[in-house]
Structures are given as C-alpha cells and as structure tokens.
Amino acid sequence: MVSISTGVVLLRWPLFSAILMFLASTLKIRLRKADYAGLAVICSALGVASACWFATGLLGITMVDIATICNNIKEVMVEVMSQTPPEWPMVLT
C-alpha cells in the first residue's frame, strides 16, 4: 500500500503534464478546424510548455539548474564576444 501511495505521489506532476499535453493537442486540432488560428497557437505554446515541464521533471532538472545553465551560457557568450577582433565583419542591412 505504501509503494502505491509513493508511486502516485511521485507520478502526480509528470502525469498531470502529460494530460496537459494531450488536452492542448486535442484543443489545438479542434480550434484549427473551427478557424481559430490565434487560440490554436496559444494551445500549441501551452503544449510545448507542458512537454518541457514533463521532460525536465523526468530528468530531475530544477529551476536552479536552468538558471545556472543560463548564467553559464551568458558568461561564455560574453567571453567569446570579448575575444573577437574589432574589425570583425558585420553586415547591417
């Protein structure tokens, strides 16, 4: 009984996000058929957000990890841009 309760507690959020992905997909299809393209795009965005939430939950990635990754990317980009030569070709059109 304890293992079933633990499994339900651990699977609650990934299961909820999987249900959200399914509902967003179904709603998007119905909205596209009814010519509500704007609402279909919003549902697509919600589906993608649910899929990302599901994947990060399965991988054990937290918001702290995401913030650390973003800070590292920023530091690397600043370092790379500081080493580019000043006469680096730039096209402004």
Side-chain angles (χ1 to χ4, degrees):
M1 189 67 175
V2 173
S3 63
I4 293 173
S5 300
T6 305
V8 168
V9 169
L10 291 176
L11 289 176
R12 178 180 53 196
W13 294 115
L15 184 63
F16 180 66
S17 61
I19 291 170
L20 280 177
M21 285 187 289
F22 173 74
L23 290 176
S25 175
T26 304
L27 190 57
K28 178 188 127 186
I29 291 168
R30 290 184 184 214
L31 288 171
R32 288 229 185 246
K33 286 182 181 178
D35 289 332
Y36 292 116
L39 291 175
V41 169
I42 291 171
C43 286
S44 294
L46 290 174
V48 169
S50 297
C52 291
W53 182 26
F54 180 73
T56 56
L58 287 178
L59 294 173
I61 299 171
T62 63
M63 291 304 288
V64 174
D65 297 331
I66 293 173
T68 303
I69 290 168
C70 289
N71 285 335
N72 287 340
I73 289 172
K74 184 182 87 170
E75 289 176 7
V76 167
M77 291 302 292
V78 167
E79 179 68 25
V80 167
M81 292 306 290
S82 69
Q83 294 182 8
T84 57
E87 64 276 351
W88 189 264
M90 294 180 61
V91 177
L92 298 174
T93 58

